[in-house]
């Protein structure tokens, strides 16, 4: 991988196109612990083999964002992914978040 995936956490999920999605507990560009408070990533199968990666989002760990995603992701029939975090949110005790990876613009929406 071109970027370090610190502490992958929880179960990963596949979408109908075969892309794999997951989270890391650390890493990313925000926060203090190990350079960040977590990321959301995608691995896509390539025609020639391999799984090129994309870091889709760096969690911020603030009251408007999740931090330290820990449990596995789930995906619904429309391709929307859901997960939980142990940090961030209104009082810092975690969030439930959703990500819509196939929509243009920001790739995450949070429900605190």
């Amino acid at each position: 991988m071109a970027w370090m995936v610190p502490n992958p956490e929880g179960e990963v999920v596949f979408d109908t196109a075969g892309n794999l999605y997951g989270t890391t507990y650390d890493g990313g560009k925000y926060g203090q612990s190990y350079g960040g408070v977590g990321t959301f990533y995608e691995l896509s199968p390539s025609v020639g083999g391999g799984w090129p990666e994309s870091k889709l989002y760096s969690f911020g760990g603030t009251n408007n964002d999740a931090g330290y995603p820990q449990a596995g992701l789930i995906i619904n029939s429309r391709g929307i992914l859901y997960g939980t975090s142990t940090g961030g949110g209104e009082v810092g005790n975690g969030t439930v978040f959703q990500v819509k990876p196939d929509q243009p613009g920001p790739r995450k929406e949070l429900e605190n």
Side-chain angles (χ1 to χ4, degrees):
M1 295 186 131
W3 55 277
M4 187 173 156
V5 180
N7 300 318
E9 195 72 34
E11 298 290 322
V12 295
V13 295
F14 286 91
D15 66 10
T16 57
N19 300 307
L20 183 142
Y21 297 94
T23 59
T24 65
Y25 187 76
D26 296 316
K29 60 183 179 178
Y30 303 109
Q32 300 170 12
S33 175
Y34 301 100
V37 295
T39 64
F40 176 80
Y41 65 88
E42 173 188 66
L43 301 172
S44 300
S46 68
V47 175
W51 290 79
E53 76 283 341
S54 298
K55 185 176 0 174
L56 300 180
Y57 187 72
S58 289
F59 292 104
T62 64
N63 62 350
N64 294 322
D65 203 351
Y68 305 108
Q70 196 162 18
L73 297 171
I74 60 171
I75 189 168
N76 71 12
S77 61
R78 296 181 308 182
I80 300 172
L81 298 136
Y82 296 89
T84 60
S85 70
T86 60
E90 198 168 308
V91 294
N93 291 329
T95 63
V96 174
F97 60 89
Q98 71 174 358
V99 182
K100 300 175 182 177
D102 62 342
Q103 291 188 356
R107 293 185 171 256
K108 63 96 187 163
E109 291 182 15
L110 295 172
E111 298 174 346
N112 291 335

